[in-house]
Amino acid sequence: MPLARPETSDARVIAHVDMDCFYVQVEQRKQPELRGLPTAVVQYNEWQGGGLIAVSYEARKCGVKRVLDGVFRSMRGDEAKAACPEIQLVQVPVARGKADLNLYRSAGSEVVSILAQSGKCERASIDEVYLDLTDAAESMLADAPPESLELMDEEVLKSHILGLSRKDGDDFEESVRDWICRKDADRRDKLLSCGIILVAELRKQVLKETEFTCSAGIAHNKMLAKLASGMNKPAQQTVVPYAAVQELLSSLPIKKMKQLGGKLGTSLQTDLGVDTVGDLLQFSETKLQEHYGINTGTWLWNIARGISGEEVQGRLLPKSHGSGKTFPGPRALKSLSNVQHWLNQLSEELSERLSSDLEQNKRIASTLTLHASAFRSRDSDSHKKFPSKSCPLRYGVTKIQEDAFNLFQAALREYMGPFGSKPQGNKQETWRITGLSVSASKIVDIPSGTSSIMRYFQSQSTVPSRSADGCVQDHVVTPSASEGCSEQISTETQAVIPEEDTGVTYTFPNFETPDKDVDLVSEKDVVSCPSSEATDVPTQLESNRTSQTKRTGRKINNPKEKNRGMPSIVDIFKNYNASPPTKQETQEDSTVSPSTSKRANFSNSSHSSEVTQESEERRQQIDWGYKIDEIDQSVLNELPVEIQRELRRFLHPNKRLNTNSKSKGDGSTSSIAHYFPPLNR
C-alpha cells in the first residue's frame, strides 16, 4: 500500500482490458455453431450438472448467473437449464479427474501477445491485462493530436466518458468527438483522448486476430481503470477523466473496491459505518491511521480520492503456477490415502506446467507451497484455518509429489494440535479436507552461462549445523538436494496420526528452541562424507575441500573475479561425497582421543596431529550429502561432453568412462546445452 501521494500519477494513461465471458468465447471459436446462442461453460461433476464458470450474455438475459445471489455459490447446470431450457452447456476439458484450463490459458496468451506490442503490459490473470500507454499517448499527442484527425473510427466514438455532459437531442457520437478533440483541454485529458484511440485500435486488432471481443477501462491509474472496465460490457470501453473520479467513487460499495472485500471492508462497515468509498471522505488521514495503522490509514485516505501509485509491471508471464481442486460436502477427503492420491494428480499437473515454462520461457521456480481447507468434527474450534506450508522446490514429478505429501502431513499435525487424533467420548475426532492446491512461486529467469548458474547454486539457503567444537556452521544446500520443508514443527506434534507411519523423521539442530528459519532435513536424505581414501578422489581435490566449503557460499564482490568464472562445475559437489565411510576409516576415527582432537582443532604446529585434524574437519562436513542413485542420469547426458566427463570422473573415480557418446547424431548436445557457454578455464 503506497504511503506517498504520487505527484505524476494523474498524467499517466492506464488501460485495463477484460475479455468478455472469455471461456464461452473460446468454446464458441472452437464450435462456431454456438455463436449467438445462450451458452454456459460448466466444470462438470456428478452433482446437479456441474458448476457454471462462465455464462454468455444471451444466457444472462434469461436469468442465468454464474454466482447465485445471497447463497454465494455457483449456479448448477440443472438450475441453468430450468431458467433457460435452450441453453447450451459446454463441459470444461478434464484431465487427472479435474478441470484442465490449458486451452483457455493458451487463448489468453494469444491476446497478451497482441496487447504487449503497444507498451508495458502486465498479465493479471487468464483473461485480463493492464497496459501502460503513457509513452504511446505522449508520442501521439506530439505527432498527431486527436484534434488534427479528420476521421475517427466508429469504435472510438462509441466510448463511454464518465462525466460527459450532453444536452437533450445531442448526438452521442458527436459529443464524444467534441470531448476528444477539445483544444482547451488540459494535458491530462488530452493524454486520455489519445488513450481512447489507442485502446479502440487494440481491441479491433484482438477481434481480427483471435475472434475475441473485450472491454476496457481507461484512466490515470490501475485502480480506476479496473473499476471502469466492467461498467459497460460487452465489447465497449469506458473512460474516467480526472474530473469524474469522485462521481465514480461516491456511490461505489466499499466491498467492490479491490482489497476491501474481506475483513478490512467489514471492519470499515461495522466500526466506522462506511458503506461506499465516498463515505471515507468524511474521515481525516489521521483518524484512519488511528484505526488501521499508518500504512493502511494513508492507503484508505488515498483511494477515497482516486489516488493510487501502483505501477503496471512489465510482466507477460504468470508470477506463479498452481493446481487445485475442491471437495465440497460429502466429497470431502477423509483419509491420508485419498489426500495423497489427489496430491499426486495436482503435482503431476504442476510439474507439466513447470516443465513447459522452463522449455518455452527459460524460467525456474524455487518454492513449493501447499494450501488446503479443512474442518474437524466434534470440535468447537472446527473453523480453525488449515496452515499453509512451503519448502524448496525440487523439479520432477516424483519429488514434487513426495514433498507435497510431506508438507500436508506437517500441516495436518499442526492443525490437529499437540495431542493428535484424540478420542471425544466414544468417538475419535476426525478431519475432513474440502480443498487442496499446490503452487510453485518465486519464478526467475534461468541464469545464462556457467558462471551465472554457479551463482544460482550458491544463492540457495543454508542448513545450520553444529561442528565438533559446538560452533554453528552453514552448509550450502543446492536445489537438487532433498531438502526438508522450510517450516517450524514443534517436538510435541511429531506423532499426530499413530495409525499411519509416514516413514520420514526429521532432525533439528541441537538447540534448546528450534529457530523459525531452520530448514528441516529428512534423515533418509542424510549421508556421510567419506575420506579421499575411500573414493580414490585425487589428493588435490581432498586437500582443497575446506577452502572450497568456505568459497562456495561466499559472495563475490570483485568484478574481475566475477568475469573469471568458476574453473569447473565440479566445484559445486566438492563438499559432498556419495560413498559411505569405509570400515578402516571408521576405526581410524574412533581411535582418536578427545584431547588429541581438541589439540588438532586449534593448532597446526604439530605434524602428528594433522591426520586427527583432517578427521575432525571431515566430521564437521558430515551434515548432509547426496546419493548417486538419486541423480537423474538423463540430466547428466544433456550436459556438454566436457562437463559430463568431469562429473562422471568425480562421481565414479574408479570407473572407466565411455568417451563415445551421449551426444546426438548430428554432433550437437541436447537442449540444455545451449544454456552453458564454453567453460572458462
Side-chain angles (χ1 to χ4, degrees):
M1 299 180 183
L3 292 179
R5 297 170 178 77
E7 298 177 356
T8 60
S9 62
D10 57 357
R12 294 184 298 166
V13 180
I14 308 298
H16 179 260
V17 180
D18 191 11
M19 308 306 296
D20 300 320
C21 52
F22 186 50
Y23 291 9
V24 171
Q25 286 201 80
V26 173
E27 296 295 342
Q28 288 176 336
R29 184 175 70 170
K30 189 169 65 173
Q31 306 176 60
E33 64 274 13
L34 295 177
R35 294 189 186 278
L37 300 178
T39 307
V41 177
V42 297
Q43 185 169 318
Y44 180 78
N45 58 48
E46 61 275 11
W47 186 59
Q48 296 186 2
L52 273 60
I53 61 174
V55 180
S56 71
Y57 291 96
E58 294 84 359
R60 296 182 192 187
K61 294 178 181 178
C62 300
V64 180
K65 300 179 180 180
R66 190 176 67 85
V67 180
L68 293 174
D69 296 333
V71 295
F72 302 106
R73 69 165 177 84
S74 297
M75 178 179 276
R76 314 301 297 183
D78 293 349
E79 294 171 330
K81 279 191 170 294
C84 180
E86 63 273 20
I87 193 171
Q88 305 294 312
L89 298 178
V90 183
Q91 181 182 331
V92 173
V94 176
R96 305 178 186 89
K98 61 179 295 293
D100 182 4
L101 303 181
N102 286 328
L103 174 66
Y104 311 108
R105 291 191 186 98
S106 299
S109 297
E110 295 179 43
V111 177
V112 171
S113 64
I114 297 170
L115 298 177
Q117 301 172 10
S118 60
K120 188 183 291 186
C121 177
E122 176 185 339
R123 185 173 186 175
S125 68
I126 286 180
D127 60 352
E128 61 177 330
V129 173
Y130 287 101
L131 297 172
D132 189 337
L133 301 173
T134 305
D135 292 342
E138 289 179 342
S139 297
M140 175 182 285
L141 188 60
D143 300 335
E147 59 266 24
S148 66
L149 301 178
E150 296 182 1
L151 296 176
M152 285 191 183
D153 190 272
E154 180 182 0
E155 204 61 39
V156 175
L157 299 177
K158 288 166 55 179
S159 301
H160 298 267
I161 302 175
L162 296 185
L164 177 63
S165 58
R166 286 194 301 130
K167 298 179 181 179
D168 293 339
D170 286 353
D171 181 74
F172 178 81
E173 293 186 359
E174 284 300 318
S175 299
V176 173
R177 182 194 299 271
D178 292 342
W179 191 91
I180 292 174
C181 296
R182 289 178 303 158
K183 293 183 178 180
D184 59 344
D186 62 20
R187 181 174 177 80
R188 296 174 300 187
D189 285 350
K190 286 185 177 182
L191 286 173
L192 278 185
S193 297
C194 295
I196 293 172
I197 298 172
L198 292 169
V199 173
E201 292 176 351
L202 287 171
R203 290 176 47 241
K204 287 184 62 178
Q205 187 177 355
V206 169
L207 179 61
K208 178 181 178 180
E209 297 188 22
T210 68
E211 303 179 30
F212 299 146
T213 65
C214 55
S215 300
I218 308 164
H220 294 299
N221 59 51
K222 290 174 67 175
M223 177 185 71
L224 298 174
K226 168 76 172 177
L227 292 173
S229 64
M231 296 183 68
N232 296 284
K233 299 189 75 169
Q236 300 179 73
Q237 59 188 48
T238 305
V239 188
V240 185
Y242 186 75
V245 171
Q246 292 307 315
E247 176 186 340
L248 171 64
L249 298 179
S250 60
S251 58
L252 183 71
I254 196 72
K255 290 278 191 175
K256 293 290 186 181
M257 180 65 72
K258 183 180 178 181
Q259 297 180 347
L260 293 181
K263 294 181 179 179
L264 180 56
T266 301
S267 174
L268 287 169
Q269 290 176 322
T270 57
D271 298 340
L272 298 183
V274 172
D275 294 319
T276 67
V277 177
D279 292 342
L280 286 172
L281 292 173
Q282 62 184 300
F283 299 100
S284 66
E285 184 175 1
T286 303
K287 183 71 171 178
L288 293 172
Q289 289 176 342
E290 289 176 357
H291 277 81
Y292 301 104
I294 295 177
N295 288 12
T296 303
T298 299
W299 178 74
L300 290 170
W301 191 92
N302 281 334
I303 65 166
R305 291 155 179 79
I307 300 173
S308 173
E310 185 180 0
E311 298 283 344
V312 173
Q313 306 297 321
R315 185 183 68 245
L316 306 183
L317 301 171
K319 293 188 294 184
S320 63
H321 297 295
S323 178
K325 184 174 177 63
T326 58
F327 309 94
R331 299 173 60 218
L333 305 181
K334 307 173 184 178
S335 66
L336 282 178
S337 59
N338 286 338
V339 170
Q340 186 171 26
H341 166 76
W342 282 109
L343 283 178
N344 287 345
Q345 302 300 311
L346 299 178
S347 299
E348 187 175 339
E349 179 184 349
L350 179 63
S351 181
E352 282 188 5
R353 294 178 62 188
L354 288 170
S355 299
S356 176
D357 196 7
L358 175 60
E359 179 180 355
Q360 297 177 11
N361 307 311
K362 308 298 182 289
R363 302 195 309 162
I364 48 179
S366 59
T367 299
L368 175 69
T369 303
L370 176 130
H371 299 281
S373 55
F375 67 90
R376 296 187 295 188
S377 62
R378 302 176 61 84
D379 192 345
S380 60
D381 193 24
S382 61
H383 297 291
K384 178 182 177 182
K385 184 178 179 181
F386 196 90
S388 299
K389 296 293 180 182
S390 297
C391 71
L393 175 66
R394 301 188 295 159
Y395 274 68
V397 177
T398 304
K399 294 176 181 177
I400 294 176
Q401 290 172 340
E402 176 186 337
D403 290 344
F405 188 54
N406 286 339
L407 289 175
F408 175 81
Q409 292 181 94
L412 182 62
R413 286 193 291 268
E414 182 177 327
Y415 179 70
M416 296 300 290
F419 302 105
S421 300
K422 54 186 179 181
Q424 303 234 344
N426 295 326
K427 295 184 179 180
Q428 193 175 41
E429 183 185 27
T430 59
W431 48 265
R432 298 289 185 270
I433 300 299
T434 57
L436 279 175
S437 71
V438 289
S439 62
S441 58
K442 295 185 180 178
I443 302 178
V444 297
D445 293 335
I446 193 168
S448 59
T450 305
S451 177
S452 297
I453 201 167
M454 292 299 176
R455 289 196 295 270
Y456 170 72
F457 280 114
Q458 292 168 7
S459 65
Q460 300 308 304
S461 59
T462 58
V463 180
S465 60
R466 285 189 183 275
S467 63
D469 58 2
C471 298
V472 177
Q473 297 178 329
D474 285 346
H475 286 258
V476 177
V477 180
T478 69
S480 59
S482 300
E483 297 95 346
C485 307
S486 56
E487 61 194 4
Q488 180 184 7
I489 305 178
S490 63
T491 54
E492 292 92 346
T493 62
Q494 293 301 308
V496 173
I497 310 171
E499 54 271 10
E500 294 206 30
D501 185 8
T502 64
V504 179
T505 57
Y506 295 95
T507 58
F508 288 103
N510 189 21
F511 305 144
E512 293 182 3
T513 303
D515 187 79
K516 291 184 178 180
D517 295 327
V518 172
D519 290 340
L520 302 185
V521 181
S522 175
E523 287 183 344
K524 67 179 181 181
D525 293 327
V526 178
V527 299
S528 300
C529 296
S531 68
S532 59
E533 299 170 0
T535 60
D536 292 329
V537 177
T539 306
Q540 182 180 0
L541 175 69
E542 183 68 30
S543 63
N544 291 335
R545 179 172 298 182
T546 304
S547 61
Q548 285 294 338
T549 302
K550 296 178 180 178
R551 189 179 67 179
T552 303
R554 69 183 178 87
K555 183 176 180 181
I556 299 175
N557 295 319
N558 188 344
K560 293 182 179 180
E561 189 174 354
K562 287 183 179 180
N563 296 332
R564 197 163 57 240
M566 290 290 183
S568 165
I569 196 170
V570 175
D571 289 348
I572 301 175
F573 301 94
K574 286 185 178 178
N575 297 326
Y576 322 116
N577 205 300
S579 304
T582 63
K583 182 177 181 180
Q584 177 183 357
E585 182 183 51
T586 305
Q587 292 174 351
E588 289 176 357
D589 288 344
S590 63
T591 60
V592 180
S593 65
S595 59
T596 305
S597 176
K598 185 175 181 180
R599 289 194 302 270
N601 284 332
F602 296 97
S603 173
N604 294 323
S605 60
S606 173
H607 177 72
S608 61
S609 64
E610 289 181 357
V611 176
T612 306
Q613 182 177 2
E614 184 178 357
S615 299
E616 284 300 323
E617 291 174 353
R618 284 202 305 273
R619 277 201 196 96
Q620 295 174 13
Q621 295 166 7
I622 304 178
D623 288 288
W624 75 282
Y626 65 90
K627 295 180 180 178
I628 289 180
D629 294 339
E630 292 183 354
I631 297 177
D632 190 344
Q633 295 299 315
S634 63
V635 174
L636 294 181
N637 295 340
E638 292 183 353
L639 293 171
V641 177
E642 294 83 357
I643 298 181
Q644 285 188 48
R645 292 172 183 160
E646 205 166 359
L647 281 174
R648 293 182 193 281
R649 188 179 300 115
F650 177 76
L651 296 174
H652 305 283
N654 295 326
K655 185 175 179 181
R656 186 171 180 176
L657 296 178
N658 182 6
T659 56
N660 292 327
S661 75
K662 306 301 183 185
S663 63
K664 294 184 178 179
D666 57 359
S668 62
T669 55
S670 299
S671 58
I672 198 172
H674 68 273
Y675 297 144
F676 298 87
L679 290 172
N680 295 323
R681 295 291 181 183

